[in-house]
Amino acid sequence: MQDTKIQNVVIVGGGTAGWITASLLAKVLGKSLNISLVESDQIGTIGVGEATIPPIINFNNALGISEAEFLKATNGTIKLGIEFENWGQQNESYMHAFGEIGKNFPFCDFHHFFTKSKQLGSRASFWDYSLNYQAAKNNKFAKITKIEGTNLPGVSYAYHFDAGLYAQFLRKFSENLGVKRIEGMVKKVELNKNTGFVDNLLMADGSTIVGDLFIDCTGLAALLIDKTLNVGFDDWSHWLPCDRAVAVPSESSGSIAPYTRARAHQSGWQWQIPLQNRTGNGLVYSSKHMTDEQAQTVLLDHLPSRPLAEPKVIRFKTGRRRKQWHRNVVSIGLSSGFFEPLESTSLHLIQTAAIRLLKFFPHNGIQLEEIAEFNQQSKAEYISIRDFIILHYKLTERDDSAFWRQCRQMDIPESLQQKLTLFSKTGKVFSQQGDLFTDVAWKQVMIGQGNMPQDHHPLVDSLSTEQIEELMANLKTLINRSVDKMPSHSDFINSL
Ligand SMILES: Cc1cc2nc3c(=O)[nH]c(=O)nc-3n(C[C@H](O)[C@H](O)[C@H](O)COP(=O)(O)OP(=O)(O)OC[C@H]3O[C@@H](n4cnc5c(N)ncnc54)[C@H](O)[C@@H]3O)c2cc1C
């Protein structure tokens, strides 16, 4: 397609997408590439994106970043899961806790034993058997890989942090590895008349920036991939109707919970993310069901503490670019697509896109087959995340507003319908290779929102009632004992 060697990489945009991509490229290929990053202070960044999921730890490790240094620099805290309040029904809650729940057996997962125990009359909750949940609700945290004296997995965690400080941290990291930052606004993207490839960027000051490969990290503006190359967009707003958010930070409110709160309201939901120095808050809502003014009122009425700024409204459309890579442009971050932050997937998608770009890096020229495979992998990743997020809305039992009734009644993708029906009839759930969300994540949302399976695996019936009760009681004891020994989350933060 184009056999020119790729030596000059130009990243357009310096939000978290731009600097994450710059860090990884510079760390791995910095010696053989000239990497520059163009950003405009005048335009600024979106300034939200504070909650993450566990794979971020591997990403930071790959960069060689010290956890303590990173948490100090970004006012970071620990995240053990997301608590969903009022989603299945009002005044009920559950958690998508990271890590495993209970103890899986060969051929038969733990939740089948849990289902049977419920049929036998147990009043226990699924989360009595989650180390992460118990630690989260007790404000505890310790980095343990196994529950002491057992083979049961330990704590799985991610972070909350200040998105702006994270971008600054990665900027310093990238610049130390030779990434050249160019301040300025791109006015026009110029294409080669013969190939249609991007030739250069025309800047507001009249200068031009040339490159071989351009990474579009311009956020919702999508200046290269959409405004210039117009690759098309798969709009998923009929499944995920929220299209706006209003965000505001508030003062720190006492002890710092090691989990995100996602509280459903009448026509959307509210996030609450505790950082070391403040709390991040926002309301995600559907503009068809709520005005911006109503959304601001709901948010301000439900803040945990005094606001620290004026609320800021952000508009978005859920979906993905049909091609994440087209010609010599790769889009990463908000320019490539958007999911509301319900399961904190956007920063993760940036990291996987940056990793994928490295795996597919076209050092000897850009080949169509490479682009096709890259785009296929991105699409599969987006679709599996899409289904998981829709699940939260579809499984609501609320009928107190037009918004929730619409969610309950909507048609869902066939891939999701199949998964839901399989689980409710048989208790079985299978993720595909490469899926971000594990079986246990799916089970928590399904059970948490009232979709208990009607059946369990036959292996469970080989145990007597007493044996099942003993198994459940032992697990609970081991988990509680382990949590009792953990220091508080605040102690961990203070020890940094
Ligand atoms: C309401 C909301 C809440 C979110 N919460 C989370 C969360 O909890 N967890 C999570 O993982 N993700 C979250 N996200 C997503 C997350 O914020 C983004 O994925 C992440 O910040 C990456 O943004 P970005 O770098 O793509 O875009 P931006 O931050 O918008 O950066 C765009 C960059 O492009 C530059 N630019 C644009 N046009 C030009 C131009 N013409 N010339 C020069 N430079 C230009 C800008 O100056 C800027 O530097 C949230 C998003 C929203 C909307």
Side-chain angles (χ1 to χ4, degrees), residues 13-18 38-40 43-46 48-51 184-186 217-219 221 223 245 271 273 314 316 332-335 338 341 344-347 350:
T16 39
V38 192
E39 66 174 317
S40 159
I43 296 176
T45 64
I46 195 146
V48 278
E50 300 176 325
M185 197 186 296
V186 179
C217 295
T218 59
L223 190 63
W271 78 76
I273 299 175
I314 303 163
F316 54 80
I332 298 185
L334 296 174
S335 64
F338 184 75
S344 317
T345 40
S346 290
L347 294 175
I350 294 169

Side-chain angles (χ1 to χ4, degrees), residues 14-29:
T16 39
W19 287 114
I20 285 173
T21 308
S23 309
L24 192 67
L25 278 183
K27 174 82 183 177
V28 182
L29 292 177

